[in-house]
Structure formats: C-alpha cells, structure tokens
Amino acid sequence: MLRLVSWNINGIRSPLQGVRCEEPSSCSAMAMGRILDKLDADIVCLQETKVTRDVLTEPLAIIEGYNSYFSFSRNRSGYSGVATFCKDSATPVAAEEGLSGLLSTQNGDVGCYGNMDDFTQEELRALDSEGRALLTQHKICTWEGKEKTLTLINVYCPHADPGKPERLTFKMRFYRLLQIRAEALLAAGSHVIILGDLNTAHRPIDHWDAVNMECFEEDPGRKWMDGLLSNLGCESGSHMGPFIDSYRCFQPKQKGAFTCWSTVSGARHLNYGSRLDYVLGDRTLVIDTFQSSFLLPEVMGSDHCPVGAVLSVSSVPAKQCPPLCTCFLPEFAGTQLKILRFLVHFKQDPVFKQSALQPSNQTQVHMRQNKARVRSTRSRPSKTGSSRGQKNLMSYFQPSSSGPQTSNLDLPSLGTLITPKTSEEDVMANVVEGQAKASEAKDEKEIRTSFWKSLLGGPSPMPLCGGHREPCVMRTVKKPGPNLGRHFYMCARPQGPPTDPSSRCNFFLWSRPS
C-alpha cells in the first residue's frame, strides 16, 4: 500500500512552536519527525511552508528516514512555498521545481511540459517565482506485478483577493499552466496525482455558506474545476474530465467535510468552513488503485487539516535521490565554505618573518635620528621644580598655609537668642490658618485624584450582544474604504451556521470615538 498525505501547514515552523527541547539544534528535527510520524504516510506534501532557502535549517530539511524537496518563493520572504517529504522506501526517480520548466536543471528533471505557446517567458517566470509547485516522479508496482510511473504534483494555488483583480488573473493562468503540465504527463504515459491546496471550493456541498454567496457556480475557479474533473466521480457521467476528486469518489454526499476554517472567527469550533484541499488522480489510477480517500480534521497546528489517500500499489525506490534533494544543497552537504575556514593559523616563512620583524641597519639609523629630533624638541623641566608642576598625592593631606585665619568674632549673648513670648490670640490665629491651608490642600488633592481616575479609568465595559446578552469583542475595519481603521463591536462567539443558536449572532455596533 502507498499512503499519501497533503497538508497546508501555514508555516513549517508554526506547529513546532509548542514543542520544548533542551537542545534547540535537535528540537526542530525531533518535532518535524514527530509530525511526519503522526501523519504516517509514505509521501507527505506540505504547502505554504513560508520559508526561503536562506532561513531553511538543516533540522527542518534533513529528517532521518526521509528525503525532502523544497520549492521557495523568489519574490518575498516568509511567503508561499511547498515541500515534499518521501520515505526512503518511496525515493523518487526524478524531482523538479515549478511547472514551466524554466527552473529545471536538465539533470534529474521530470520533463513533459506540453504546449505553452500561450504564455510569455516573463509570465511563466512570474508563475513559477512564488514557489507554488513541486513535482516528484516515482516508480510503482501494481498488484499485478506491473511497474508504472506515477508523478505527484504538489501545488499551492494562488488566492484571488477580491480587492486585487490582477490576482484573479494570476490564479487562472496558474490553473491553466497546471492543467497543461498534468495533461502532458498523462499523454507521456505517466499516472498523475494533483494534491494540495487548490484554494477553490468546488461544489456547494464543499462550502458552508454557498447558499448565500452570489454567483457561486459562476466563479472562474469552479468552472475550471468543472472542466478538469469528472462530474460524478467514479460513476459514469455526461462530462468525463481527465481527473477525479478522490474524496467525492468515496464520499459523494458527505456534508461538513471541510479542510479550512477561519482562525479569526473561531469557525473550526463549529465546523464552519470550506473544502479547499484535494487529492485528484487520473481516472484510470483512481478507479484501479485507490482504496480510500480521507480527511484528518483532528490534526491541529494550522488553519487547514491534512487530506490523503491510500493506493493499492507499492513503491519502487530509486537507488539515489534526485539532484533537487535537500541533502545535496551545499549548506547541508558539507561542501559550502564557512568563515572558520578562512580563520586558520598562517604559517609564515622564517626568512620572511625575520625580515619583516627586524628592520635593516639603514632603517634603524633613520629611526634613531627621528627619536633624537623628538627629544630635542621636548622642553625639559628645571631641576629646582616649578610651582605649576604636578602635585604629590601627600600634598592633599597636609594643612594649607594659605587658609583663612580665624578671627575673634563677637558672639551674641544668650539673651538675644531667646524667642519673645507671643500672645494667646496670635497662637489661635496661626492654628486656624494652618487648618485652612490643610483643608485647601486636601481639596486640591481630591480634585487631582478624581481627575486622573476619570482619565485613567480604563476602557468602558463591552456592550452586550443582542442574541446572547454576552460581552462583545472589539474589531477593527481593515478593508480599504471610508471606514478603514474604525472600531466596532460584534458577538464574541465563534462563527457558525445561522441556524445554530450557539454560533455568533448578527449583533453589530460602531464604537464611539474617544
């Protein structure tokens, strides 16, 4: 059996943050190994790794028992990226980064690119520059004993931001390039599996709120999937696309089968999400070899959950990993020069060292003449000393002879220092005046205290939502427009279906500016 798992990990280092280890160098390796062991797959495809080559560490890339392959974003750091981890028993015979072939090295590549005349070189380079596709080609053996070729296309398809129309165009061009490459591989005789985050919920059953969405069926991404996939999965239907959605083949009417949830609204708690992650296989492969297709919603660590499939085939490992394998990267293969290589002890020639450290006779003569000129220009202090010379430390502990002389002063008599007696009226007046000043100071202190309490009293209590009479949460408008940056209150409960009373109500209230 061959078990495949795909997971949008939302940052390959994110699930590792909760793992504690005494040795940081081995912590990442242990945590990544635990994740792979937990997924228990022969081949694990990860999307949205959010690492570039300069920040990829060896503990994340080199895992014992696996060989790994990475595709990095070349435009932005901490963005996009895909990776494929293969057990040593499923080592691929070829691996390639990108769909266009522009990133190929002509050594160990998959090949079979199809007709890409509709794309310019700049467009192909832009589509492959975000690190969204990674191909690995494997040899498999069927239960009949026949050896065949299987190509896995690990993809992280672009998201179409409603505020950026150019990203929708980019997404559709990426879809088109993906289909051309997959069909070219099929035409060359290879079985093909497309797995990963396609960033499109295909059917209304794959989206919680499809009923309330305008023109759901008219979405360009869904129309593209209609043409790529067979309508009725394993059953015969009117449209016979080259690929089959393996999960809907085995679970055609399963509701609530979602793979992505909003973390901001806590939608995963009530399973209010959509299915964006797929394992798509060519029709012959799915019908003949797929045993099951599954979701793993219990696996946490990302806003997506893993998906996978089991095939009734065995992998025939290659004798050597393809050149794209991370174990061949100079920084991990031990061939990259480090700065310590340049800080070695320099053995100097004895003759050169003696000539460098001991100047010649002529140089020594010039040095003596220069020293003599310097001595002659310095002023020598006189032997008798000078009053302006530097003082001795002991001079500060001797009595000064130039100090002021004490004189016989006329001290006042004792009688003049006695305070005259005050009358009883003066004493009472002073007491009353002191009490008045104390009262004024107390009043002033209370006024200041009340002022600062009103100023630093903290935010006003949260209003109660109308549906549950519970404290709301404050949110900020991030969508460009006239209300950008404004604060508002909404129900604090997680987002869910409108018919569920335990989900978020529709309470909304603008926050008053302070």
Side-chain angles (χ1 to χ4, degrees), residues 109-169:
D109 296 327
V110 176
C112 303
Y113 302 102
N115 186 3
M116 299 183 182
D117 294 340
D118 293 341
F119 299 86
T120 63
Q121 291 292 312
E122 292 76 11
E123 190 176 12
L124 291 174
R125 193 173 290 106
L127 291 171
D128 274 345
S129 65
E130 295 185 357
R132 295 185 175 274
L134 187 63
L135 284 74
T136 55
Q137 195 166 74
H138 307 258
K139 292 296 183 180
I140 59 174
C141 183
T142 65
W143 64 273
E144 299 173 346
K146 296 181 180 179
E147 187 173 299
K148 296 185 177 181
T149 302
L150 172 63
T151 304
L152 299 183
I153 306 180
N154 178 8
V155 291
Y156 172 47
C157 297
H159 169 68
D161 191 343
K164 299 179 179 179
E166 67 277 6
R167 292 302 293 178
L168 177 59
T169 304

Short mmCIF file of all heavy atoms in Angstrom, two decimals, residues 109-169:
data_model
loop_
_atom_site.label_atom_id
_atom_site.label_comp_id
_atom_site.label_asym_id
_atom_site.label_seq_id
_atom_site.Cartn_x
_atom_site.Cartn_y
_atom_site.Cartn_z
N ASP A 109 15.33 15.91 -13.94
CA ASP A 109 14.03 16.57 -14.02
C ASP A 109 12.96 15.61 -14.51
O ASP A 109 13.25 14.55 -15.09
CB ASP A 109 14.11 17.77 -14.97
CG ASP A 109 15.05 18.85 -14.45
OD1 ASP A 109 15.13 19.00 -13.22
OD2 ASP A 109 15.69 19.53 -15.26
N VAL A 110 11.70 16.01 -14.32
CA VAL A 110 10.57 15.18 -14.72
C VAL A 110 10.30 15.29 -16.20
O VAL A 110 10.04 14.29 -16.88
CB VAL A 110 9.32 15.56 -13.90
CG1 VAL A 110 8.11 14.78 -14.37
CG2 VAL A 110 9.57 15.32 -12.41
N GLY A 111 10.35 16.52 -16.74
CA GLY A 111 10.10 16.73 -18.17
C GLY A 111 8.62 16.74 -18.51
O GLY A 111 7.75 16.84 -17.64
N CYS A 112 8.30 16.65 -19.82
CA CYS A 112 6.92 16.63 -20.34
C CYS A 112 6.19 17.92 -19.98
O CYS A 112 5.41 17.97 -19.02
CB CYS A 112 6.15 15.42 -19.82
SG CYS A 112 6.91 13.83 -20.18
N TYR A 113 6.42 18.98 -20.75
CA TYR A 113 5.89 20.30 -20.41
C TYR A 113 4.65 20.67 -21.21
O TYR A 113 3.92 21.57 -20.81
CB TYR A 113 6.98 21.36 -20.60
CG TYR A 113 8.20 21.08 -19.77
CD1 TYR A 113 9.35 20.53 -20.33
CD2 TYR A 113 8.20 21.33 -18.41
CE1 TYR A 113 10.46 20.26 -19.57
CE2 TYR A 113 9.31 21.05 -17.62
CZ TYR A 113 10.44 20.52 -18.21
OH TYR A 113 11.54 20.23 -17.45
N GLY A 114 4.41 20.06 -22.33
CA GLY A 114 3.24 20.39 -23.12
C GLY A 114 3.43 21.67 -23.92
O GLY A 114 4.51 22.26 -23.97
N ASN A 115 2.36 22.11 -24.54
CA ASN A 115 2.38 23.30 -25.38
C ASN A 115 2.10 24.54 -24.53
O ASN A 115 0.97 24.74 -24.06
CB ASN A 115 1.36 23.17 -26.51
CG ASN A 115 1.43 24.30 -27.50
OD1 ASN A 115 2.28 25.19 -27.39
ND2 ASN A 115 0.54 24.30 -28.49
N MET A 116 3.10 25.36 -24.36
CA MET A 116 2.97 26.58 -23.56
C MET A 116 3.13 27.83 -24.40
O MET A 116 3.61 28.86 -23.92
CB MET A 116 4.00 26.57 -22.42
CG MET A 116 3.85 25.41 -21.47
SD MET A 116 5.03 25.47 -20.10
CE MET A 116 4.63 23.95 -19.23
N ASP A 117 2.72 27.76 -25.64
CA ASP A 117 2.88 28.91 -26.54
C ASP A 117 2.00 30.08 -26.13
O ASP A 117 2.27 31.22 -26.53
CB ASP A 117 2.55 28.49 -27.97
CG ASP A 117 3.56 27.50 -28.52
OD1 ASP A 117 4.67 27.42 -27.97
OD2 ASP A 117 3.23 26.78 -29.51
N ASP A 118 0.95 29.82 -25.35
CA ASP A 118 0.07 30.92 -24.92
C ASP A 118 0.69 31.78 -23.83
O ASP A 118 0.15 32.84 -23.50
CB ASP A 118 -1.26 30.34 -24.40
CG ASP A 118 -2.07 29.67 -25.51
OD1 ASP A 118 -1.79 29.97 -26.69
OD2 ASP A 118 -2.95 28.86 -25.19
N PHE A 119 1.82 31.34 -23.31
CA PHE A 119 2.47 32.08 -22.23
C PHE A 119 3.75 32.72 -22.73
O PHE A 119 4.49 32.12 -23.52
CB PHE A 119 2.81 31.15 -21.05
CG PHE A 119 1.61 30.50 -20.42
CD1 PHE A 119 1.10 29.31 -20.93
CD2 PHE A 119 1.01 31.05 -19.31
CE1 PHE A 119 0.00 28.70 -20.34
CE2 PHE A 119 -0.09 30.46 -18.71
CZ PHE A 119 -0.60 29.28 -19.23
N THR A 120 4.03 33.91 -22.23
CA THR A 120 5.32 34.54 -22.50
C THR A 120 6.34 34.05 -21.47
O THR A 120 5.99 33.50 -20.43
CB THR A 120 5.21 36.07 -22.43
OG1 THR A 120 4.84 36.45 -21.08
CG2 THR A 120 4.15 36.58 -23.40
N GLN A 121 7.60 34.25 -21.78
CA GLN A 121 8.65 33.84 -20.85
C GLN A 121 8.54 34.59 -19.52
O GLN A 121 8.75 34.01 -18.46
CB GLN A 121 10.03 34.09 -21.48
CG GLN A 121 10.35 33.18 -22.66
CD GLN A 121 10.52 31.73 -22.23
OE1 GLN A 121 11.23 31.42 -21.29
NE2 GLN A 121 9.86 30.82 -22.95
N GLU A 122 8.20 35.87 -19.59
CA GLU A 122 8.04 36.64 -18.36
C GLU A 122 6.87 36.12 -17.53
O GLU A 122 6.95 36.05 -16.29
CB GLU A 122 7.83 38.12 -18.69
CG GLU A 122 9.04 38.82 -19.29
CD GLU A 122 9.27 38.47 -20.75
OE1 GLU A 122 8.36 37.85 -21.36
OE2 GLU A 122 10.36 38.81 -21.28
N GLU A 123 5.78 35.72 -18.19
CA GLU A 123 4.63 35.21 -17.47
C GLU A 123 4.94 33.86 -16.83
O GLU A 123 4.57 33.62 -15.67
CB GLU A 123 3.44 35.09 -18.42
CG GLU A 123 2.12 34.79 -17.71
CD GLU A 123 0.96 34.76 -18.68
OE1 GLU A 123 1.19 34.76 -19.91
OE2 GLU A 123 -0.19 34.74 -18.21
N LEU A 124 5.62 33.01 -17.54
CA LEU A 124 5.99 31.71 -16.99
C LEU A 124 6.93 31.88 -15.80
O LEU A 124 6.80 31.19 -14.78
CB LEU A 124 6.65 30.84 -18.06
CG LEU A 124 5.76 30.36 -19.20
CD1 LEU A 124 6.58 29.63 -20.25
CD2 LEU A 124 4.66 29.44 -18.68
N ARG A 125 7.85 32.82 -15.92
CA ARG A 125 8.79 33.05 -14.82
C ARG A 125 8.06 33.60 -13.59
O ARG A 125 8.37 33.23 -12.46
CB ARG A 125 9.88 34.02 -15.28
CG ARG A 125 11.07 34.11 -14.33
CD ARG A 125 12.20 34.94 -14.92
NE ARG A 125 12.83 34.25 -16.04
CZ ARG A 125 12.64 34.59 -17.30
NH1 ARG A 125 11.86 35.59 -17.64
NH2 ARG A 125 13.26 33.93 -18.27
N ALA A 126 7.07 34.46 -13.83
CA ALA A 126 6.29 35.01 -12.71
C ALA A 126 5.44 33.93 -12.04
O ALA A 126 5.31 33.90 -10.81
CB ALA A 126 5.42 36.16 -13.19
N LEU A 127 4.86 33.01 -12.82
CA LEU A 127 4.02 31.96 -12.26
C LEU A 127 4.83 30.98 -11.41
O LEU A 127 4.30 30.39 -10.46
CB LEU A 127 3.30 31.21 -13.38
CG LEU A 127 2.22 32.00 -14.14
CD1 LEU A 127 1.74 31.23 -15.35
CD2 LEU A 127 1.05 32.32 -13.22
N ASP A 128 6.08 30.80 -11.75
CA ASP A 128 6.93 29.87 -11.01
C ASP A 128 7.78 30.56 -9.95
O ASP A 128 8.51 29.87 -9.21
CB ASP A 128 7.86 29.12 -11.97
CG ASP A 128 7.19 27.88 -12.55
OD1 ASP A 128 6.16 27.46 -12.01
OD2 ASP A 128 7.71 27.33 -13.55
N SER A 129 7.71 31.87 -9.84
CA SER A 129 8.59 32.59 -8.92
C SER A 129 8.10 32.57 -7.48
O SER A 129 8.84 32.96 -6.58
CB SER A 129 8.74 34.05 -9.38
OG SER A 129 7.49 34.73 -9.29
N GLU A 130 6.86 32.13 -7.24
CA GLU A 130 6.32 32.16 -5.88
C GLU A 130 6.44 30.81 -5.17
O GLU A 130 5.93 30.65 -4.06
CB GLU A 130 4.86 32.61 -5.91
CG GLU A 130 4.68 34.04 -6.38
CD GLU A 130 3.25 34.52 -6.30
OE1 GLU A 130 2.37 33.71 -5.91
OE2 GLU A 130 2.99 35.70 -6.60
N GLY A 131 7.09 29.84 -5.80
CA GLY A 131 7.31 28.55 -5.15
C GLY A 131 6.02 27.81 -4.86
O GLY A 131 5.79 27.35 -3.74
N ARG A 132 5.18 27.60 -5.88
CA ARG A 132 3.86 27.02 -5.67
C ARG A 132 3.71 25.61 -6.24
O ARG A 132 2.63 25.04 -6.11
CB ARG A 132 2.78 27.93 -6.29
CG ARG A 132 2.67 29.28 -5.59
CD ARG A 132 1.53 30.10 -6.15
NE ARG A 132 1.35 31.34 -5.41
CZ ARG A 132 0.62 31.47 -4.32
NH1 ARG A 132 -0.01 30.42 -3.83
NH2 ARG A 132 0.50 32.63 -3.70
N ALA A 133 4.72 25.07 -6.83
CA ALA A 133 4.58 23.74 -7.44
C ALA A 133 5.88 22.96 -7.30
O ALA A 133 6.98 23.52 -7.44
CB ALA A 133 4.19 23.85 -8.91
N LEU A 134 5.73 21.66 -7.03
CA LEU A 134 6.87 20.77 -6.89
C LEU A 134 6.46 19.40 -7.40
O LEU A 134 5.43 18.85 -7.00
CB LEU A 134 7.30 20.68 -5.42
CG LEU A 134 8.57 19.92 -5.10
CD1 LEU A 134 9.78 20.58 -5.74
CD2 LEU A 134 8.77 19.85 -3.59
N LEU A 135 7.24 18.84 -8.31
CA LEU A 135 6.92 17.56 -8.93
C LEU A 135 7.92 16.50 -8.47
O LEU A 135 9.14 16.76 -8.45
CB LEU A 135 6.95 17.65 -10.45
CG LEU A 135 5.76 18.33 -11.16
CD1 LEU A 135 5.80 19.84 -10.98
CD2 LEU A 135 5.74 17.99 -12.64
N THR A 136 7.43 15.34 -8.13
CA THR A 136 8.27 14.17 -7.86
C THR A 136 7.71 13.00 -8.66
O THR A 136 6.50 12.79 -8.70
CB THR A 136 8.29 13.81 -6.36
OG1 THR A 136 6.96 13.64 -5.89
CG2 THR A 136 8.98 14.90 -5.55
N GLN A 137 8.60 12.26 -9.29
CA GLN A 137 8.19 11.13 -10.12
C GLN A 137 8.69 9.83 -9.50
O GLN A 137 9.87 9.71 -9.15
CB GLN A 137 8.73 11.28 -11.55
CG GLN A 137 8.08 10.38 -12.56
CD GLN A 137 8.41 10.81 -13.98
OE1 GLN A 137 9.52 10.59 -14.45
NE2 GLN A 137 7.45 11.39 -14.68
N HIS A 138 7.77 8.86 -9.36
CA HIS A 138 8.06 7.62 -8.65
C HIS A 138 7.78 6.42 -9.55
O HIS A 138 6.96 6.50 -10.46
CB HIS A 138 7.19 7.52 -7.38
CG HIS A 138 7.29 8.71 -6.48
ND1 HIS A 138 8.05 8.72 -5.33
CD2 HIS A 138 6.72 9.95 -6.55
CE1 HIS A 138 7.94 9.89 -4.73
NE2 HIS A 138 7.14 10.66 -5.46
N LYS A 139 8.44 5.33 -9.24
CA LYS A 139 8.15 4.04 -9.85
C LYS A 139 7.27 3.24 -8.88
O LYS A 139 7.59 3.13 -7.70
CB LYS A 139 9.44 3.28 -10.15
CG LYS A 139 10.30 3.90 -11.24
CD LYS A 139 9.58 3.88 -12.59
CE LYS A 139 10.48 4.45 -13.69
NZ LYS A 139 9.80 4.43 -15.01
N ILE A 140 6.15 2.74 -9.39
CA ILE A 140 5.23 1.97 -8.56
C ILE A 140 5.01 0.61 -9.20
O ILE A 140 5.18 0.44 -10.42
CB ILE A 140 3.88 2.69 -8.38
CG1 ILE A 140 3.22 2.96 -9.73
CG2 ILE A 140 4.06 3.97 -7.58
CD1 ILE A 140 1.82 3.54 -9.62
N CYS A 141 4.62 -0.33 -8.36
CA CYS A 141 4.34 -1.69 -8.84
C CYS A 141 2.91 -2.04 -8.46
O CYS A 141 2.53 -1.94 -7.28
CB CYS A 141 5.32 -2.68 -8.22
SG CYS A 141 5.13 -4.38 -8.80
N THR A 142 2.10 -2.39 -9.42
CA THR A 142 0.70 -2.73 -9.17
C THR A 142 0.60 -4.13 -8.58
O THR A 142 1.58 -4.90 -8.54
CB THR A 142 -0.11 -2.63 -10.46
OG1 THR A 142 0.36 -3.63 -11.40
CG2 THR A 142 0.04 -1.25 -11.08
N TRP A 143 -0.61 -4.50 -8.15
CA TRP A 143 -0.82 -5.83 -7.58
C TRP A 143 -0.64 -6.93 -8.62
O TRP A 143 -0.43 -8.10 -8.30
CB TRP A 143 -2.21 -5.91 -6.95
CG TRP A 143 -3.34 -5.75 -7.94
CD1 TRP A 143 -3.89 -4.59 -8.37
CD2 TRP A 143 -4.03 -6.80 -8.62
NE1 TRP A 143 -4.89 -4.83 -9.28
CE2 TRP A 143 -5.00 -6.20 -9.45
CE3 TRP A 143 -3.93 -8.19 -8.61
CZ2 TRP A 143 -5.87 -6.94 -10.26
CZ3 TRP A 143 -4.80 -8.93 -9.42
CH2 TRP A 143 -5.75 -8.30 -10.23
N GLU A 144 -0.69 -6.53 -9.90
CA GLU A 144 -0.45 -7.49 -10.99
C GLU A 144 1.03 -7.69 -11.27
O GLU A 144 1.40 -8.50 -12.12
CB GLU A 144 -1.16 -7.02 -12.26
CG GLU A 144 -2.67 -6.89 -12.10
CD GLU A 144 -3.31 -6.26 -13.31
OE1 GLU A 144 -2.55 -5.68 -14.14
OE2 GLU A 144 -4.54 -6.33 -13.45
N GLY A 145 1.88 -6.90 -10.60
CA GLY A 145 3.31 -7.01 -10.82
C GLY A 145 3.84 -6.11 -11.91
O GLY A 145 5.01 -6.21 -12.28
N LYS A 146 2.99 -5.23 -12.44
CA LYS A 146 3.43 -4.32 -13.49
C LYS A 146 4.04 -3.05 -12.88
O LYS A 146 3.50 -2.50 -11.94
CB LYS A 146 2.25 -3.93 -14.39
CG LYS A 146 1.64 -5.11 -15.14
CD LYS A 146 0.50 -4.64 -16.02
CE LYS A 146 -0.11 -5.82 -16.79
NZ LYS A 146 -1.25 -5.37 -17.65
N GLU A 147 5.15 -2.63 -13.45
CA GLU A 147 5.83 -1.41 -12.98
C GLU A 147 5.38 -0.23 -13.83
O GLU A 147 5.43 -0.28 -15.06
CB GLU A 147 7.34 -1.58 -13.05
CG GLU A 147 8.11 -0.42 -12.41
CD GLU A 147 9.60 -0.69 -12.32
OE1 GLU A 147 9.99 -1.66 -11.64
OE2 GLU A 147 10.36 0.08 -12.95
N LYS A 148 4.93 0.83 -13.16
CA LYS A 148 4.44 2.02 -13.85
C LYS A 148 5.06 3.27 -13.23
O LYS A 148 5.70 3.21 -12.19
CB LYS A 148 2.91 2.09 -13.77
CG LYS A 148 2.21 0.94 -14.48
CD LYS A 148 0.70 1.13 -14.48
CE LYS A 148 0.01 -0.01 -15.25
NZ LYS A 148 -1.46 0.17 -15.28
N THR A 149 4.81 4.38 -13.91
CA THR A 149 5.34 5.67 -13.45
C THR A 149 4.21 6.50 -12.86
O THR A 149 3.12 6.59 -13.43
CB THR A 149 5.99 6.43 -14.62
OG1 THR A 149 7.03 5.64 -15.18
CG2 THR A 149 6.56 7.75 -14.14
N LEU A 150 4.47 7.09 -11.71
CA LEU A 150 3.50 7.96 -11.04
C LEU A 150 4.16 9.30 -10.75
O LEU A 150 5.23 9.36 -10.13
CB LEU A 150 3.02 7.31 -9.74
CG LEU A 150 2.16 8.19 -8.82
CD1 LEU A 150 0.85 8.57 -9.50
CD2 LEU A 150 1.89 7.49 -7.50
N THR A 151 3.52 10.37 -11.20
CA THR A 151 4.02 11.72 -10.96
C THR A 151 3.10 12.44 -10.00
O THR A 151 1.89 12.55 -10.26
CB THR A 151 4.13 12.51 -12.28
OG1 THR A 151 4.96 11.79 -13.21
CG2 THR A 151 4.72 13.88 -12.04
N LEU A 152 3.66 12.94 -8.91
CA LEU A 152 2.91 13.73 -7.93
C LEU A 152 3.19 15.20 -8.17
O LEU A 152 4.36 15.61 -8.26
CB LEU A 152 3.30 13.35 -6.50
CG LEU A 152 3.08 11.91 -6.05
CD1 LEU A 152 3.47 11.76 -4.58
CD2 LEU A 152 1.64 11.50 -6.25
N ILE A 153 2.12 15.99 -8.26
CA ILE A 153 2.25 17.45 -8.41
C ILE A 153 1.74 18.08 -7.13
O ILE A 153 0.54 18.14 -6.88
CB ILE A 153 1.47 17.97 -9.63
CG1 ILE A 153 1.88 17.22 -10.89
CG2 ILE A 153 1.70 19.46 -9.80
CD1 ILE A 153 1.15 17.69 -12.15
N ASN A 154 2.67 18.52 -6.31
CA ASN A 154 2.35 19.18 -5.04
C ASN A 154 2.17 20.66 -5.32
O ASN A 154 3.13 21.35 -5.70
CB ASN A 154 3.49 18.93 -4.05
CG ASN A 154 3.28 19.61 -2.71
OD1 ASN A 154 2.21 20.16 -2.45
ND2 ASN A 154 4.29 19.59 -1.87
N VAL A 155 0.93 21.18 -5.13
CA VAL A 155 0.64 22.57 -5.53
C VAL A 155 0.01 23.35 -4.39
O VAL A 155 -0.71 22.80 -3.55
CB VAL A 155 -0.31 22.62 -6.76
CG1 VAL A 155 0.38 22.12 -7.99
CG2 VAL A 155 -1.59 21.86 -6.49
N TYR A 156 0.33 24.63 -4.36
CA TYR A 156 -0.33 25.61 -3.50
C TYR A 156 -0.82 26.72 -4.43
O TYR A 156 -0.09 27.64 -4.77
CB TYR A 156 0.62 26.13 -2.44
CG TYR A 156 0.07 27.28 -1.62
CD1 TYR A 156 -1.21 27.22 -1.08
CD2 TYR A 156 0.84 28.42 -1.39
CE1 TYR A 156 -1.72 28.27 -0.34
CE2 TYR A 156 0.33 29.47 -0.63
CZ TYR A 156 -0.93 29.38 -0.12
OH TYR A 156 -1.44 30.42 0.62
N CYS A 157 -2.07 26.60 -4.85
CA CYS A 157 -2.62 27.52 -5.86
C CYS A 157 -2.86 28.90 -5.25
O CYS A 157 -3.16 29.03 -4.06
CB CYS A 157 -3.91 26.96 -6.44
SG CYS A 157 -3.67 25.41 -7.34
N PRO A 158 -2.77 29.94 -6.07
CA PRO A 158 -2.92 31.31 -5.55
C PRO A 158 -4.34 31.58 -5.05
O PRO A 158 -5.31 30.96 -5.49
CB PRO A 158 -2.58 32.19 -6.76
CG PRO A 158 -1.86 31.30 -7.71
CD PRO A 158 -2.40 29.93 -7.49
N HIS A 159 -4.42 32.53 -4.14
CA HIS A 159 -5.71 33.00 -3.63
C HIS A 159 -6.09 34.27 -4.38
O HIS A 159 -5.26 35.17 -4.56
CB HIS A 159 -5.62 33.29 -2.13
CG HIS A 159 -6.80 34.01 -1.57
ND1 HIS A 159 -8.05 33.44 -1.47
CD2 HIS A 159 -6.93 35.28 -1.09
CE1 HIS A 159 -8.90 34.31 -0.95
NE2 HIS A 159 -8.25 35.43 -0.70
N ALA A 160 -7.34 34.36 -4.79
CA ALA A 160 -7.83 35.53 -5.52
C ALA A 160 -8.40 36.54 -4.53
O ALA A 160 -9.49 36.35 -4.00
CB ALA A 160 -8.89 35.13 -6.54
N ASP A 161 -7.64 37.59 -4.26
CA ASP A 161 -8.10 38.64 -3.35
C ASP A 161 -9.14 39.49 -4.06
O ASP A 161 -8.88 40.01 -5.15
CB ASP A 161 -6.91 39.50 -2.93
CG ASP A 161 -7.25 40.44 -1.79
OD1 ASP A 161 -8.45 40.66 -1.54
OD2 ASP A 161 -6.32 40.96 -1.14
N PRO A 162 -10.35 39.66 -3.46
CA PRO A 162 -11.37 40.47 -4.14
C PRO A 162 -10.93 41.89 -4.41
O PRO A 162 -11.39 42.52 -5.37
CB PRO A 162 -12.55 40.44 -3.15
CG PRO A 162 -12.34 39.21 -2.33
CD PRO A 162 -10.86 39.06 -2.20
N GLY A 163 -10.03 42.42 -3.58
CA GLY A 163 -9.57 43.78 -3.79
C GLY A 163 -8.46 43.92 -4.80
O GLY A 163 -8.03 45.04 -5.10
N LYS A 164 -7.96 42.78 -5.32
CA LYS A 164 -6.87 42.82 -6.30
C LYS A 164 -7.26 41.98 -7.51
O LYS A 164 -7.01 40.77 -7.56
CB LYS A 164 -5.57 42.29 -5.68
CG LYS A 164 -5.08 43.11 -4.49
CD LYS A 164 -3.80 42.51 -3.91
CE LYS A 164 -3.30 43.33 -2.74
NZ LYS A 164 -2.07 42.76 -2.15
N PRO A 165 -7.88 42.59 -8.51
CA PRO A 165 -8.33 41.82 -9.69
C PRO A 165 -7.19 41.13 -10.42
O PRO A 165 -7.40 40.09 -11.05
CB PRO A 165 -9.00 42.89 -10.57
CG PRO A 165 -9.15 44.11 -9.75
CD PRO A 165 -8.22 44.01 -8.61
N GLU A 166 -5.98 41.69 -10.34
CA GLU A 166 -4.87 41.07 -11.06
C GLU A 166 -4.51 39.71 -10.47
O GLU A 166 -3.97 38.85 -11.17
CB GLU A 166 -3.65 41.99 -11.03
CG GLU A 166 -3.00 42.21 -9.67
CD GLU A 166 -3.70 43.28 -8.84
OE1 GLU A 166 -4.75 43.78 -9.29
OE2 GLU A 166 -3.18 43.61 -7.76
N ARG A 167 -4.83 39.49 -9.18
CA ARG A 167 -4.54 38.19 -8.59
C ARG A 167 -5.49 37.10 -9.10
O ARG A 167 -5.12 35.93 -9.16
CB ARG A 167 -4.63 38.28 -7.06
CG ARG A 167 -3.53 39.10 -6.42
CD ARG A 167 -2.16 38.58 -6.74
NE ARG A 167 -1.87 37.28 -6.16
CZ ARG A 167 -0.74 36.61 -6.33
NH1 ARG A 167 0.21 37.10 -7.11
NH2 ARG A 167 -0.56 35.43 -5.76
N LEU A 168 -6.71 37.48 -9.46
CA LEU A 168 -7.62 36.51 -10.08
C LEU A 168 -7.08 36.07 -11.43
O LEU A 168 -7.11 34.88 -11.78
CB LEU A 168 -9.02 37.11 -10.23
CG LEU A 168 -10.05 36.22 -10.93
CD1 LEU A 168 -10.24 34.90 -10.19
CD2 LEU A 168 -11.37 36.95 -11.08
N THR A 169 -6.56 37.02 -12.20
CA THR A 169 -5.94 36.67 -13.48
C THR A 169 -4.73 35.76 -13.27
O THR A 169 -4.55 34.76 -13.99
CB THR A 169 -5.52 37.95 -14.22
OG1 THR A 169 -6.65 38.80 -14.39
CG2 THR A 169 -4.92 37.61 -15.58
#
